[in-house]
């Protein structure tokens, strides 16, 4: 990050915003690679990407006012994508974990470094290349993010379950944060094949039957259905607010055991 003289910590602030901007960029990549239906959310993710990237450019090229804009850009981005922080609990799910890894530290780094850059600029601390604590901070941020992302990707590939659908009496697929059907009916004592065609973690959960299977993106499994006749709600824990009374935006379906 060498170049013209800028206030100390400016480069670290720009790096923080770049990391934050990569979070929605990664989610957009997941949408296109996995063929998901983004709908109106496409504009949202593009905007969430452009704001921090524009902030990174401004904080790099301009002075005091740009540092204030960078702080605002980091706050707005964090508020818009705060939910990516929940993905930090899923290190084995690349597209859940890495966006949170990029966004939260990136925004905090941008805010803290922008404030430090304002102070440094007032004191006349400028340089043509990062030095001292700023250089160390940049190195730590880059190495940590790259290493954590590589580990997450490796865990996603190695821990993803895989099952053969042969012998199962029914199949359930997760796609676009939805179950493949609005309702299912299956004889008790039989098996259902479940496959996750989203890049994010989903669960096949039926509380009353004691079923709670977690599937990484691209994973599949076979689930035994108890012989307990009745109609239940099958849902995904991370993407359902109220499993007892799911709404249209919840990831849930009816499941009848005959």
């Amino acid at each position: 990050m060498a170049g013209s003289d800028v206030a100390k910590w400016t480069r670290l602030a720009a790096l923080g915003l770049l990391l934050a901007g990569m979070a929605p960029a990664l989610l957009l990549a997941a949408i296109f690679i996995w063929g998901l239906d983004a709908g109106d959310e496409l504009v949202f993710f593009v905007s969430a990407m452009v704001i921090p990237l524009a902030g990174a450019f401004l904080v790099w090229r301009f002075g005091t006012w740009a540092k204030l804009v960078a702080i605002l850009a980091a706050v707005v981005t964090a508020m818009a994508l705060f939910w990516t922080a929940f993905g930090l609990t899923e290190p084995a799910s690349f597209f859940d974990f890495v966006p949170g890894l990029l966004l939260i530290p990136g925004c905090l780094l941008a805010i803290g470094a922008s404030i430090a850059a304002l102070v440094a600029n007032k004191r006349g601390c400028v340089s043509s290349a990062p030095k001292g604590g700023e250089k160390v901070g940049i190195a730590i941020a880059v190495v940590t993010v790259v290493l954590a992302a590589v580990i997450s990707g490796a865990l996603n590939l190695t821990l993803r379950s895989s099952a053969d659908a042969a012998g199962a009496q029914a199949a359930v697929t997760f796609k676009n944060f939805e179950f493949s059907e609005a309702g299912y009916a299956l004889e008790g004592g039989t098996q259902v094949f479940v496959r996750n065609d989203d890049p994010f973690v989903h669960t096949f959960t039926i509380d009353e039957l004691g079923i709670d299977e977690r599937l990484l993106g691209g994973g599949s499994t076979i689930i035994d259905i108890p012989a307990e006749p009745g109609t239940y709600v099958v849902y995904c824990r991370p993407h359902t607010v109220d499993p007892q009374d799911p709404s249209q935006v919840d990831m849930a379906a009816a499941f009848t055991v005959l």
Side-chain angles (χ1 to χ4, degrees), residues 70-243:
I71 294 172
L72 179 61
V75 171
V76 170
T77 303
M79 292 177 64
L81 296 171
F82 73 93
W83 44 268
T84 59
F86 299 121
L88 294 175
T89 63
E90 296 286 356
S93 177
F94 183 84
F95 285 105
D96 283 297
F97 178 74
V98 177
L101 173 71
L102 294 168
L103 182 87
I104 306 305
C107 288
L108 292 175
L109 202 60
I111 293 171
S114 292
I115 294 173
L118 287 171
V119 175
N121 187 58
K122 188 175 182 179
R123 294 177 177 177
C125 298
V126 299
S127 64
S128 59
K131 299 177 181 178
E134 183 180 22
K135 184 176 182 179
V136 172
I138 291 173
I140 290 175
V142 172
V143 170
T144 300
V145 168
V146 171
L147 183 60
V150 170
I151 292 174
S152 179
L155 290 174
N156 200 154
L157 292 174
T158 57
L159 298 181
R160 183 172 61 191
S161 59
S162 180
D164 189 347
Q169 286 69 46
V172 174
T173 303
F174 304 144
K175 184 70 174 179
N176 285 315
F177 295 91
E178 294 179 344
F179 283 81
S180 53
E181 303 290 343
Y184 302 89
L186 188 66
E187 292 285 347
T190 53
Q191 295 181 321
V192 59
F193 172 75
V194 183
R195 186 179 70 242
N196 183 3
D197 284 345
D198 280 342
F200 310 101
V201 166
H202 291 311
T203 70
F204 183 97
T205 305
I206 304 177
D207 292 327
E208 294 85 350
L209 299 181
I211 298 173
D212 187 26
E213 291 288 338
R214 172 178 171 275
L215 285 87
L216 295 174
S220 58
T221 189
I222 295 290
I223 298 175
D224 294 315
I225 303 301
E228 298 182 23
T231 297
Y232 311 97
V233 174
V234 58
Y235 66 98
C236 170
R237 278 189 291 104
H239 304 113
T240 300
V241 176
D242 183 5

